[in-house]
């Protein structure tokens, strides 16, 4: 049996750096575009992001703090998830800057915005995949003892999907063709999804 380092998070990890983000990694990036009720565009990446259901498709991201994306979605009930590809990684990172609510991150990051089909927030034109979403709920997270946290989980139903044609081969979407990047745990760590890293296992019957 391997030796283990055990710790209770409420007491402290006792290491040089908190390992949590490095253990649950790499994580897909929730690159979310939204519009405020006043019409200000916002684009921001969230590393706490995931798909939660197939039918209907439901995605969600968690925001530590009531940030502009959450405020916009609460006001309008709509948002778009944009896939962050390797070629867009630097622009995605630039859009994470802490700026005033009326600053347009599309412009800040040098990105072209393009209209969505079913929702008002625009999507990143160069992104190989995008989900147009309608808000289901915004849920404030809490501890096991019921104490509320300054973190909010945003859940949305995917009502429209955009896929770059070159990511579809023989009728199948190819994950690696989109060259997605994922967030790691260390300072500035990201990972690529490559064909060389892929392996297959058949699910037991």
């Amino acid at each position: 049996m391997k030796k283990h380092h055990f710790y209770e998070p409420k007491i402290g990890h006792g290491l040089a750096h908190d390992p949590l983000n490095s253990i649950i990694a790499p994580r897909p990036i929730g690159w979310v575009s939204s519009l405020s009720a006043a019409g200000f565009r916002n684009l921001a990446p969230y590393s706490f992001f995931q798909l939660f259901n197939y039918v209907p498709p439901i995605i969600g991201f968690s925001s530590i703090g009531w940030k502009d994306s959450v405020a916009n979605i609460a006001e309008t009930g709509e948002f778009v998830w944009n896939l962050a590809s390797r070629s867009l990684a630097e622009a995605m990172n630039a859009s994470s800057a802490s700026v005033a609510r009326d600053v347009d991150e599309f412009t800040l990051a040098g990105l072209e915005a393009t209209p969505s089909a079913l929702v008002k927030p625009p999507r990143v034109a160069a992104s190989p995949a995008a989900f147009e979403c309608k808000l289901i709920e915004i849920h404030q997270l809490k501890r096991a003892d019921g104490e509320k946290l300054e973190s909010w989980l945003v859940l949305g139903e995917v009502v429209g999907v955009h896929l770059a044609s070159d990511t579809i081969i023989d009728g199948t979407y190819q994950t690696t063709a989109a060259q997605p990047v994922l967030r790691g745990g260390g300072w500035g760590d990201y990972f690529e999804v490559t064909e060389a890293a892929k392996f297959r296992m058949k699910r037991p019957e």
Side-chain angles (χ1 to χ4, degrees):
M1 181 177 177
K2 291 183 178 180
K3 292 183 179 180
H4 284 78
H5 172 80
F6 172 79
Y7 70 93
E8 297 179 59
K10 66 180 180 181
I11 297 174
H13 49 74
L15 301 172
H17 301 283
D18 190 336
L20 187 63
N21 286 357
S22 296
I23 299 167
I24 308 299
R27 300 180 304 282
I29 299 167
W31 201 13
V32 176
S33 52
S34 61
L35 278 179
S36 70
F40 293 119
R41 298 191 305 193
N42 183 270
L43 179 65
Y46 290 86
S47 67
F48 294 154
F49 167 81
Q50 195 49 265
L51 170 70
F52 292 105
N53 196 57
Y54 277 127
V55 182
I58 295 173
I59 63 172
F61 69 95
S62 181
S63 174
I64 300 175
W66 187 265
K67 296 180 180 177
D68 294 342
S69 299
V70 183
N72 290 351
I73 295 167
E75 289 178 358
T76 66
E78 298 179 337
F79 66 96
V80 177
W81 170 76
N82 305 272
L83 187 146
S85 63
R86 182 63 188 90
S87 62
L88 294 171
E90 285 71 26
M92 177 273 296
N93 188 49
S95 72
S96 69
S98 297
V99 294
R101 193 177 185 188
D102 61 352
V103 173
D104 188 331
E105 286 87 357
F106 280 93
T107 302
L108 181 69
L111 290 163
E112 178 186 354
T114 193
S116 297
L118 303 174
V119 299
K120 291 182 179 179
R123 56 192 175 88
V124 176
S127 177
F131 295 164
E132 299 184 16
C133 301
K134 295 281 189 177
L135 174 65
I136 296 172
E137 66 176 313
I138 298 176
H139 177 74
Q140 186 172 9
L141 300 181
K142 59 185 179 182
R143 298 178 185 273
D145 62 8
E147 180 185 348
K148 291 184 177 180
L149 302 174
E150 291 298 308
S151 296
W152 282 266
L153 173 63
V154 180
L155 295 174
E157 179 178 341
V158 179
V159 296
V161 178
H162 299 265
L163 300 175
S165 296
D166 60 5
T167 64
I168 302 171
I169 300 175
D170 296 330
T172 301
Y173 175 81
Q174 303 294 317
T175 302
T176 55
Q179 297 182 308
V181 292
L182 304 98
R183 189 67 170 95
W187 184 89
D189 286 352
Y190 289 85
F191 293 85
E192 293 183 64
V193 177
T194 65
E195 194 68 21
K198 182 172 73 176
F199 68 95
R200 286 193 167 104
M201 290 190 294
K202 185 178 180 181
R203 193 178 198 174
E205 296 180 357

